[in-house]
Amino acid sequence: MIRIDGSKGEGGGQVLRTSLALSLVTGKPFQMVNIRAGRSKPGLLRQHLTAVKAAAAVGEAELEGAELHSKELTFRPKALQSGDYHFAVGTAGSATLVLQTVLPALMTASGPSTLVLEGGTHNPAAPPFDFLTKAYLPLVRRMGPGVEATLEKHGFFPAGGGKFEVLMQPAPLKPLHLLERGNVVRRQATAMIAQVPYDVAKRELETVGKKLGWLAEERRVEELKRSAGPGNVVWLEVESEHVTEVFTGFGERGVRAEDIAEAVAEEAQVYLEAGVPVGEHLADQLMLLLALARGGSFRTLPLDGHAQTQIETFAHFLDVKVSVEEVSPQVREVEVGKRG
């Protein structure tokens, strides 16, 4: 039984989701204590509990401690099962984080699977649906598995109500080396609004234009006519020869549209000036794929606490070595391989 202290490192839900994913893939059971001890509301919230129960369904796992606000969990997987699954968070909790919990296992399972997920699709502190489809899943497909996601309904915090479907054709994961970004071939800034004044989107896009020098034809408003609740998201898509990156900001009550856009434009500017192919959020997810493939490398920005927590969690389940080299003050090269 692997024992993990959930308060270590980043101290949030990521160590739980990564542990569930790796437990499913390897068949190794684990016990976690101090779950989300680093958060203002510690323990399992509804989205974390949904991820736990989704993983248990996929792995026919035995559970102990799987209840709201629990700070301890024991997870014993028995057999990985492909098939048709439907998971609903039940709140605006992130459905994309539930997907990332079970995706690594299902894309290497014995047969195809279909997932229908309901909940939040565009949440702060979680990968939005557009990041998955434009930045993350294209890399998954390059490594072997066929994964396609289709959005049926948007779900914003706090109303939720989103829904999407994922089709998976499993295949062994192949190592991937992503050291060069290549030339930028397309840029697109999108301000999405639902039950929010059009002026908000206009001000966000004007801010991006001033900050990054993006042209009017590289900026667009997407206005949703139907949604369970109000929402505002601005995302910047940078498509290069070898990779696409997505940077996202979420509108908040009481925060100026210009400030939301300024922050996301700053994030994109740091990425563009560093010349790396992989941004900090994509780095966390790509690192997990390379660990499962037992090989690969990429260049990225200096690693954040999430990435460091990923590396520490891998060591519990996988016999892989992750090395991080400082290429320059703004660039790190990450290499993943078998130990020894």
Side-chain angles (χ1 to χ4, degrees):
M1 175 70 70
I2 296 169
R3 287 175 171 78
I4 301 171
D5 186 343
S7 68
K8 301 295 185 182
E10 179 263 342
Q14 182 189 36
V15 64
L16 172 66
R17 290 186 295 270
T18 299
S19 296
L20 289 167
L22 293 177
S23 178
L24 288 174
V25 172
T26 63
K28 297 177 180 178
F30 73 92
Q31 180 184 55
M32 184 171 292
V33 298
N34 300 323
I35 295 173
R36 300 184 64 253
R39 295 296 182 260
S40 58
K41 295 180 180 179
L44 296 174
L45 300 184
R46 195 166 296 279
Q47 71 181 27
H48 308 106
L49 189 57
T50 304
V52 168
K53 292 185 174 180
V58 168
E60 295 186 344
E62 294 179 356
L63 293 174
E64 295 174 25
E67 55 193 44
L68 279 176
H69 311 302
S70 173
K71 297 176 186 176
E72 294 189 13
L73 177 75
T74 301
F75 185 86
R76 296 185 180 91
K78 292 182 180 178
L80 182 60
Q81 296 291 339
S82 56
D84 299 329
Y85 295 98
H86 186 167
F87 303 121
V89 178
T91 66
S94 175
T96 61
L97 289 176
V98 176
L99 170 65
Q100 290 194 332
T101 303
V102 297
L103 180 62
L106 288 178
M107 67 188 181
T108 57
S110 59
S113 294
T114 302
L115 278 179
V116 176
L117 296 114
E118 297 185 62
T121 61
H122 293 77
N123 294 45
F129 182 84
D130 314 278
F131 171 86
L132 290 179
T133 56
K134 299 175 185 298
Y136 177 65
L137 293 183
L139 296 183
V140 171
R141 290 191 287 269
R142 281 165 63 176
M143 295 181 71
V147 185
E148 298 289 345
T150 305
L151 183 65
E152 186 174 317
K153 292 186 294 185
H154 292 77
F156 303 102
F157 180 84
K163 185 177 182 180
F164 61 94
E165 181 181 63
V166 183
L167 305 178
M168 274 172 283
Q169 191 65 43
L173 281 167
K174 301 175 294 187
L176 174 70
H177 298 279
L178 194 52
L179 300 176
E180 300 292 337
R181 184 169 71 205
N183 294 324
V184 175
V185 297
R186 189 176 72 89
R187 307 180 302 192
Q188 180 77 65
T190 301
M192 183 165 61
I193 50 175
Q195 303 175 33
V196 169
Y198 187 90
D199 181 62
V200 170
K202 180 182 176 183
R203 286 155 53 204
E204 287 172 340
L205 294 179
E206 286 176 350
T207 300
V208 170
K210 291 176 183 177
K211 177 77 174 178
L212 298 177
W214 290 15
L215 306 175
E217 55 266 31
E218 296 175 313
R219 312 192 303 264
R220 71 184 186 98
V221 176
E222 182 177 345
E223 189 168 9
L224 304 180
K225 300 301 182 183
R226 297 175 59 190
S227 68
N232 167 230
V233 183
V234 55
W235 77 83
L236 311 182
E237 184 181 350
V238 179
E239 181 182 345
S240 303
E241 291 178 78
H242 305 306
V243 68
T244 297
E245 260 291 11
V246 174
F247 307 92
T248 311
F250 297 90
E252 298 178 50
R253 189 180 299 275
V255 181
R256 296 170 64 245
E258 290 83 356
D259 293 339
I260 300 295
E262 176 80 20
V264 72
E266 173 69 23
E267 187 179 351
Q269 186 175 51
V270 169
Y271 167 80
L272 288 167
E273 290 178 352
V276 295
V278 178
E280 65 173 346
H281 301 304
L282 183 57
D284 298 345
Q285 306 307 323
L286 180 56
M287 198 183 300
L288 176 58
L289 296 177
L290 298 189
L292 293 172
R294 306 298 201 277
S297 59
F298 61 92
R299 286 193 172 183
T300 186
L301 300 163
L303 300 185
D304 63 4
H306 286 271
Q308 296 290 352
T309 299
Q310 287 283 71
I311 295 172
E312 293 164 8
T313 307
F314 296 162
H316 291 292
F317 295 91
L318 301 172
D319 189 24
V320 296
K321 179 182 179 181
V322 181
S323 61
V324 181
E325 178 188 352
E326 181 175 330
V327 178
S328 73
Q330 290 78 37
V331 179
R332 302 292 183 271
E333 184 168 322
V334 178
E335 185 170 0
V336 181
K338 297 178 182 179
R339 286 195 178 278

